[in-house]
Amino acid sequence: MIYYVDAAAKAEGNGTKENPFKKIGQAAAIAVAGDEVIVAPGVYREWVDPVNGGTEDKRIVYKSEKPLGAHITGAEPLTGWTQYGGAGSKVYTARVSNKIFGDYNPYKELVSGDWFIAFMTAHTGDVFLNGKSMYEVQSIDEVEKGEVSVPSWDHEFSVYKWHAQQDEKTDETVFYANFQGLDPNKQDIEITARQACFYPKQEGRGYITLSGFKVSKAATQWAPPTAYQEGMIGPHWSKGWIIEDCEVFEAKCSGISLGKYLQPENDNKWLKWKYKDGAQTERDCICQAQREGWTKARIGSHIIRRCNIHDCGQTGIVGHLGGVFSLVEDCHIHHINNKQNLAGCEIGGIKMHAAIDCIYRRNVIHDCTRGMWLDWQAQGTRVTQNLFYNNVVPKEYNQNDESMVGCAEDLFVEVSHGPTLVDNNIFLSDRALKLATQGVALVHNIIYGGIVAIGKGTNNGAPTKPSPRYTPYHVPHQTEIAGFMTILHGDTRVYNNIFVQEPVRPALKKGMDNNIANNNDWDDGNIMAGTFVYEQYPTFDEWNAQFEGYCGQGAQTTDKYYDKLPVWVGGNVYLNGAKPMSKEKEPDAVVIEGEKVEFAVEEEGGEFKLKTNLYKVMSAAVGGMPTCKLMHTDDMKMAFEPEQKFENPDGTPITFDTDYSGKKRVEKVIPGPFVDGER
């Protein structure tokens, strides 16, 4: 059955092409497996709640008739603004009846949750000027001042302020906003009115496709791994969704959620109960989910592809447990958390816990507070053929005493046992990789920045007592828990990469020096490139020698089971002063001095091009391109704790013969993500 929807229809229809529905929700209430919903161009101000799911061979498809022509939004227009404070004032006020919000008023509901840093009062609602969210402040006085928000990445727009109050007598929300001389009655002013845009209210509505829509402006709540994770779009604890060719923007917190279901007695428990720390309540959440049906047969296996995701407050894509076995490919994710009005430990272009057997490929992620953050249980995870750049704060222009130096990088992998495979990527931010983890393989990447937090960031922060974070590892290619263990560090393979030292910015150099001086247990702030950060780690032969002749029985005590794990290196190239670890010697390490290498990214018509003199410098320095070994799964030791190989999700081996662009490595293999170096 095909149903048709058209916001411009003159009357409520029956869903036929001749007499379409006015609302997508009308079709969503009756569509069943095998049905298709075709939506005409227009603005659809509704929360679409799919009542039914499809099946693996008969999906329910929601399709915008014209790509990006149908716009689902959680916002409503707000008109009738009057000047506040007399003639000439830049501040206006308007009222709205709270009846339009139903049982959820975003201007009463505060952003809150585990790992949220409430440095200001932030509501889940927003005020939008011509489609762009203004800056909430705490008083009418701050609205009137309209001062620049220093931490913001957009100083020019940060002077557009708003504040809301409740009039209990009239049951109205009263808005005050500084439009900086614009007349709001001649502009497009909207307020957030709904929590979600396309999201089933019930669990288990699987095998749905959402194709070609604009989706914007929902009052989503903070989404930590220990809570019910909301998104503007999301499958709500089900299986097999496809979200494709959509533009997703201006969620208060998260744009797309592949996240955790509601566990009523264990929801934001750290915030509410306080007697257990967040890491322990997270372990509880994971074990509870396994008891309650978190399996490959029921949950995950979603696809997000070719989506443009931008200008969300917390994350572009978020998830815990519900995103297992999923694929995110060919997406453009950018300008996430740029307002810097929300702070906490759950921010990034992609923030995913338990990315078991997930693949992230051919994405472009840039201008985010943090690019991609894989936290806990990145097992069987592959990050491949992605471009990362400009994912770092603070900028030179947005520093103040509260600026958080050392809180952003292209890719952060945290307290996971692996295997986590990172291959054929381009990392161009000052802090390229933060690896407070183990069980990682770096193969054929360009790394134009520092590797951060080696040997750090895996304890839980107790100042005087041991507080290791024991994290689960799983039966390979399944959700079932195989065991728990703390992070020993190491267990890292670094093959065929190109390391280039980026020019050191003063703000980040200051942050690095402060972290070293303060012996920060979470982050060393490193912005220096190269494998030298693994200098104190053993080779496999050195590590293995500890166990020769040791039977592992009896009362003899030993530290060897808690020593650093080995690191393997080979085939890497170092430029601009990037430094290898001393155990990687020529010809395995090629150190090139002389002409400086530079990188720039240019966007042309939606295509991203890398401009660099890298391969010219490499070729000139060594009389031709340096070569390296073609790597295979069996060339690398399995990840230590889960005893799992660096392989495909179906268990088949990988040959690293495909480069960043999809070209094949055949005979001569060179380091880095490109086959031929013609850039």
Side-chain angles (χ1 to χ4, degrees):
M1 185 78 177
I2 299 178
Y3 296 103
Y4 293 87
V5 183
D6 189 345
K10 294 182 179 180
E12 299 292 346
N14 58 11
T16 62
K17 191 171 186 179
E18 297 75 20
N19 195 16
F21 293 131
K22 283 184 72 70
K23 295 284 189 179
I24 304 170
Q26 294 172 277
I30 59 174
V32 295
D35 287 348
E36 185 173 11
V37 179
I38 306 296
V39 184
V43 177
Y44 296 84
R45 299 186 184 277
E46 55 181 308
W47 176 347
V48 180
D49 171 21
V51 172
N52 302 303
T55 62
E56 188 170 5
D57 58 346
K58 291 184 178 180
R59 310 182 64 81
I60 301 178
V61 176
Y62 295 81
K63 184 175 182 180
S64 176
E65 184 179 52
K66 177 183 177 182
L68 303 182
H71 183 177
I72 308 172
T73 178
E76 291 289 337
L78 182 57
T79 58
W81 292 87
T82 59
Q83 277 186 313
Y84 176 83
S89 173
K90 295 179 181 179
V91 178
Y92 285 73
T93 185
R95 290 171 170 261
V96 64
S97 169
N98 287 336
K99 292 179 180 179
I100 75 164
F101 302 122
D103 58 2
Y104 181 90
N105 185 338
Y107 305 96
K108 293 182 179 180
E109 190 75 20
L110 297 178
V111 177
S112 66
D114 289 349
W115 289 282
F116 176 69
I117 300 173
F119 71 93
M120 63 168 279
T121 300
H123 291 90
T124 59
D126 258 319
V127 177
F128 302 91
L129 168 61
N130 298 325
K132 190 171 182 177
S133 60
M134 299 170 65
Y135 286 65
E136 183 178 10
V137 290
Q138 310 304 297
S139 67
I140 299 173
D141 181 58
E142 290 179 82
V143 173
E144 292 180 311
K145 289 179 180 177
E147 296 176 340
V148 166
S149 174
V150 175
S152 169
W153 290 33
D154 185 358
H155 280 185
E156 184 177 358
F157 194 77
S158 73
V159 298
Y160 292 87
K161 309 290 191 182
W162 70 270
H163 175 67
Q165 296 179 352
Q166 295 299 314
D167 187 333
E168 302 294 344
K169 291 182 179 180
T170 62
D171 193 25
E172 292 177 312
T173 299
V174 186
F175 294 91
Y176 303 88
N178 189 332
F179 295 104
Q180 297 296 333
L182 297 176
D183 182 349
N185 296 305
K186 296 180 181 179
Q187 310 297 320
D188 179 13
I189 311 298
E190 297 174 294
I191 58 171
T192 324
R194 287 171 285 277
Q195 287 176 266
C197 292
F198 192 96
Y199 192 97
K201 294 180 180 179
Q202 301 298 319
E203 299 171 12
R205 275 45 177 176
Y207 299 105
I208 288 174
T209 296
L210 182 72
S211 182
F213 288 83
K214 281 187 179 181
V215 184
S216 73
K217 307 184 188 77
T220 51
Q221 181 57 277
W222 186 254
T226 49
Y228 170 50
Q229 292 184 307
E230 301 177 10
M232 240 176 1
I233 304 170
H236 194 178
W237 203 244
S238 66
K239 184 174 181 179
W241 274 44
I242 297 175
I243 303 167
E244 62 183 13
D245 301 307
C246 292
E247 182 181 6
V248 181
F249 59 101
E250 287 288 7
K252 182 67 179 199
C253 289
S254 295
I256 298 174
S257 172
L258 304 181
K260 193 177 77 64
Y261 69 112
L262 177 63
Q263 297 174 338
E265 302 305 317
N266 197 17
D267 191 68
N268 283 317
K269 192 171 184 178
W270 185 27
L271 176 70
K272 297 173 182 177
W273 198 49
K274 303 183 186 305
Y275 299 114
K276 286 185 179 180
D277 69 25
Q280 184 61 28
T281 60
E282 185 169 342
R283 285 186 283 267
D284 291 349
C285 285
I286 295 164
C287 293
Q288 180 179 341
Q290 183 163 305
R291 295 193 303 272
E292 295 177 347
W294 177 48
T295 65
K296 188 174 184 178
R298 296 183 64 247
I299 303 299
S301 298
H302 306 298
I303 297 173
I304 302 173
R305 60 192 178 201
R306 301 186 301 273
C307 290
N308 179 11
I309 306 170
H310 60 94
D311 291 289
C312 297
Q314 178 192 342
T315 66
I317 302 172
V318 74
H320 182 210
L321 306 175
V324 290
F325 315 111
S326 293
L327 170 66
V328 179
E329 63 179 1
D330 300 306
C331 290
H332 181 196
I333 303 173
H334 56 105
H335 296 93
I336 302 298
N337 190 238
N338 283 188
K339 291 172 71 176
Q340 293 279 289
N341 61 324
L342 304 180
C345 296
E346 305 301 324
I347 286 170
I350 297 175
K351 176 64 198 288
M352 192 65 61
H353 285 75
I356 298 171
D357 279 1
C358 288
I359 298 175
Y360 304 94
R361 68 185 177 204
R362 299 192 303 269
N363 303 290
V364 179
I365 303 178
H366 66 93
D367 288 282
C368 299
T369 295
R370 175 170 278 131
M372 181 187 296
W373 187 352
L374 303 177
D375 199 354
W376 292 51
Q377 304 149 272
Q379 180 170 334
T381 311
R382 187 175 185 184
V383 180
T384 182
Q385 299 171 301
N386 302 283
L387 170 62
F388 296 83
Y389 69 96
N390 205 29
N391 299 304
V392 65
V393 294
K395 304 294 184 184
E396 265 56 35
Y397 61 78
N398 71 347
Q399 297 176 57
N400 60 15
D401 292 340
E402 288 76 41
S403 294
M404 296 177 67
V405 179
C407 61
E409 50 282 317
D410 285 332
L411 174 63
F412 181 12
V413 185
E414 185 176 8
V415 290
S416 295
H417 298 287
T420 307
L421 174 59
V422 181
D423 69 285
N424 292 288
N425 301 282
I426 302 170
F427 299 104
L428 300 182
S429 296
D430 306 72
R431 294 159 54 93
L433 302 169
K434 185 172 183 178
L435 301 179
T437 193
Q438 64 187 48
V440 174
L442 305 175
V443 184
H444 280 292
N445 302 286
I446 288 175
I447 302 173
Y448 185 50
I451 301 180
V452 185
I454 299 306
K456 290 180 174 287
T458 61
N459 294 323
N460 213 38
T464 63
K465 296 181 181 297
S467 57
R469 279 192 286 175
Y470 284 85
T471 53
Y473 53 96
H474 300 262
V475 176
H477 312 298
Q478 297 177 215
T479 58
E480 284 74 9
I481 296 170
F484 287 82
M485 185 55 184
T486 188
I487 303 299
L488 301 177
H489 301 284
D491 193 24
T492 302
R493 303 127 190 89
V494 190
Y495 292 113
N496 303 353
N497 302 281
I498 298 174
F499 292 91
V500 185
Q501 179 61 54
E502 194 167 354
V504 175
R505 293 200 283 121
L508 294 175
K509 177 64 164 62
K510 178 181 177 182
M512 180 176 72
D513 292 344
N514 286 342
N515 279 325
I516 293 172
N518 296 330
N519 193 26
N520 187 336
D521 191 45
W522 292 96
D523 192 312
D524 57 10
N526 179 53
I527 50 175
M528 310 308 292
T531 54
F532 74 94
V533 293
Y534 291 106
E535 187 65 33
Q536 303 304 315
Y537 285 76
T539 65
F540 176 76
D541 289 341
E542 291 170 336
W543 177 77
N544 184 56
Q546 301 177 89
F547 299 94
E548 293 181 0
Y550 181 75
C551 65
Q553 297 177 355
Q556 182 182 0
T557 61
T558 178
D559 289 333
K560 59 174 59 73
Y561 294 116
Y562 302 94
D563 283 345
K564 295 182 178 72
L565 296 171
V567 171
W568 295 260
V569 290
N572 302 298
V573 177
Y574 302 83
L575 301 101
N576 287 13
K579 297 184 294 184
M581 61 188 297
S582 62
K583 295 171 185 177
E584 184 184 13
K585 302 180 184 299
E586 291 196 40
D588 285 335
V590 178
V591 179
I592 297 175
E593 299 176 351
E595 184 179 351
K596 293 297 183 183
V597 172
E598 297 178 342
F599 293 94
V601 176
E602 295 180 359
E603 182 180 0
E604 299 176 5
E607 297 292 326
F608 293 84
K609 295 183 179 180
L610 180 66
K611 302 293 184 181
T612 182
N613 62 340
L614 168 65
Y615 292 95
K616 174 186 172 184
V617 172
M618 283 174 55
S619 180
V622 299
M625 290 294 179
T627 60
C628 54
K629 177 183 177 181
L630 179 64
M631 298 296 294
H632 305 265
T633 289
D634 289 341
D635 292 321
M636 296 185 286
K637 297 285 186 181
M638 64 186 179
F640 172 74
E641 207 65 64
E643 302 177 22
Q644 180 178 339
K645 293 182 177 181
F646 291 83
E647 60 193 7
N648 288 307
D650 62 2
T652 58
I654 298 171
T655 298
F656 295 92
D657 60 355
T658 304
D659 81 348
Y660 174 90
S661 302
K663 295 182 180 179
K664 288 292 184 179
R665 298 181 174 98
V666 182
E667 298 178 358
K668 181 180 178 182
V669 179
I670 67 173
F674 297 107
V675 164
D676 49 25
E678 293 181 3
R679 301 268 68 77

